[in-house]
Amino acid sequence: MEKRDKIYEGKAKILYKTDDPDKLIQYFKDDATAFNAAKKGTVVDKGVMNNKISTKIFEFLESEGIVTHYEKMLSDREMLIKKVSIVPVEVVVRNKAAGSLCRNLGVEEGKKLPISVLEFCYKRDDLNDPLMNECHIIALELATQEELDKIKEIALKINALMSKFFANLNLELIDFKLEFGRFKGGIILADEISPDTCRLWEIGTGKRLDKDRFRHDLGNVEEAYQEVLSRVSK
Ligand code: TMP
């Protein structure tokens, strides 16, 4: 697979064209940002760890019938993916209260939510990725109602699958963020799934094993990502 021109660079990843017009290379960087890039830094080898963790999770989800953009891992930092057209909406699923839910709604961190809470954010760095509702998504023509229904259905299915997957590794899936893309007329899972995009608390100790260690300067950031990698690699 030949790596060609860079077509996109985000905060944590770069996308390159390949000699196959239907495939891209997703390159994982060590750069870390939080609070819409108000806080910036690097986490040593985060890109390597997130590439490997995402690979394991995509392979698990594919084995459970979820269609993803993942094709294969090419190197430590590179993943071959299907070229999709990204729906510019971040989909967050929450099982326990944390992060912006606590900040925005005054809920106590760690409160078990009696239903899985689905949230949508508009992928617009210039607007700081604002929360939006389903009517906004349809009204702004970011997705059709049919696409949105599919996205919600897949997101909830992924929540059930990943909650069980992580529980088997003694990790509680508190919340996570997904992105979806259009591919051959359907909706498939895209982007990455890693400690950058999930909150994972160790069962029993409550130890944070995710990007909150970077966001809130809790220390041992690399060790937390490494711990997640070693658990998903078992
Ligand atoms: P939040 O509580 O900060 O809104 O985050 C909810 C989940 O979404 C958490 O697991 C982190 C993830 N997330 C991202 O992956 N990217 C983002 O830009 C944000 C804000 C959150």
Side-chain angles (χ1 to χ4, degrees):
M1 185 58 59
E2 195 185 312
K3 189 166 161 183
R4 298 211 172 146
D5 296 348
K6 183 199 281 194
I7 55 164
Y8 169 82
E9 178 156 6
K11 288 177 276 199
K13 295 185 295 293
I14 306 174
L15 295 178
Y16 296 92
K17 282 188 185 168
T18 68
D19 48 350
D20 180 339
D22 297 327
K23 308 260 163 69
L24 299 176
I25 291 174
Q26 173 163 262
Y27 176 95
F28 289 76
K29 305 195 282 186
D30 288 348
D31 297 345
T33 61
F35 313 115
N36 294 303
K39 180 181 170 81
K40 290 188 176 130
T42 55
V43 177
V44 177
D45 281 346
K46 175 169 79 74
V48 176
M49 297 187 280
N50 280 356
N51 185 27
K52 293 179 180 173
I53 294 166
S54 281
T55 290
K56 287 285 178 193
I57 297 174
F58 282 140
E59 286 176 349
F60 162 70
L61 291 174
E62 288 273 354
S63 78
E64 297 285 345
I66 303 289
V67 185
T68 80
H69 73 160
Y70 169 81
E71 288 278 316
K72 63 176 174 181
M73 204 173 89
L74 294 173
S75 71
D76 268 6
R77 290 177 182 274
E78 291 170 324
M79 179 187 283
L80 186 68
I81 58 171
K82 296 179 187 80
K83 183 178 181 179
V84 302
S85 154
I86 289 283
V87 177
V89 174
E90 298 191 341
V91 180
V92 171
V93 185
R94 301 180 187 270
N95 297 307
K96 278 190 172 175
S100 66
L101 182 79
C102 300
R103 278 200 308 279
N104 294 338
L105 302 181
V107 184
E108 191 190 337
E109 188 185 52
K111 181 190 175 344
K112 171 101 192 90
L113 301 167
I115 57 161
S116 300
V117 172
L118 267 178
E119 287 176 5
F120 306 99
C121 296
Y122 192 9
K123 260 177 79 73
R124 280 280 298 263
D125 283 341
D126 59 329
L127 300 176
N128 290 337
D129 294 351
L131 259 180
M132 67 191 328
N133 66 28
E134 289 189 42
C135 289
H136 295 139
I137 294 172
I138 306 301
L140 272 59
E141 299 181 274
L142 304 181
T144 64
Q145 187 65 57
E146 194 191 345
E147 287 174 330
L148 190 53
D149 290 344
K150 191 78 200 161
I151 285 171
K152 286 161 53 184
E153 180 194 320
I154 305 171
L156 292 174
K157 202 162 158 199
I158 291 173
N159 185 39
L161 290 168
M162 288 213 303
S163 293
K164 224 165 130 189
F165 174 83
F166 283 117
N168 283 330
L169 306 174
N170 211 38
L171 295 171
E172 184 171 14
L173 181 61
I174 302 299
D175 58 33
F176 57 96
K177 183 265 297 181
L178 302 173
E179 294 185 25
F180 292 89
R182 298 183 181 92
F183 182 75
K184 291 189 178 167
I187 289 284
I188 68 172
L189 180 65
D191 194 49
E192 67 174 288
I193 301 183
S194 72
D196 272 14
T197 65
C198 300
R199 282 195 177 89
L200 297 166
W201 296 359
E202 186 174 52
I203 293 170
T205 66
K207 188 173 173 194
R208 274 46 171 174
L209 292 173
D210 56 58
K211 194 175 164 189
D212 270 351
R213 302 203 76 81
F214 168 80
R215 294 189 186 97
H216 303 299
D217 299 314
L218 302 178
N220 299 316
V221 187
E222 288 85 0
E223 290 78 0
Y225 283 68
Q226 188 56 56
E227 181 61 35
V228 174
L229 174 58
S230 77
R231 291 191 195 201
V232 301
S233 304
K234 275 190 188 133

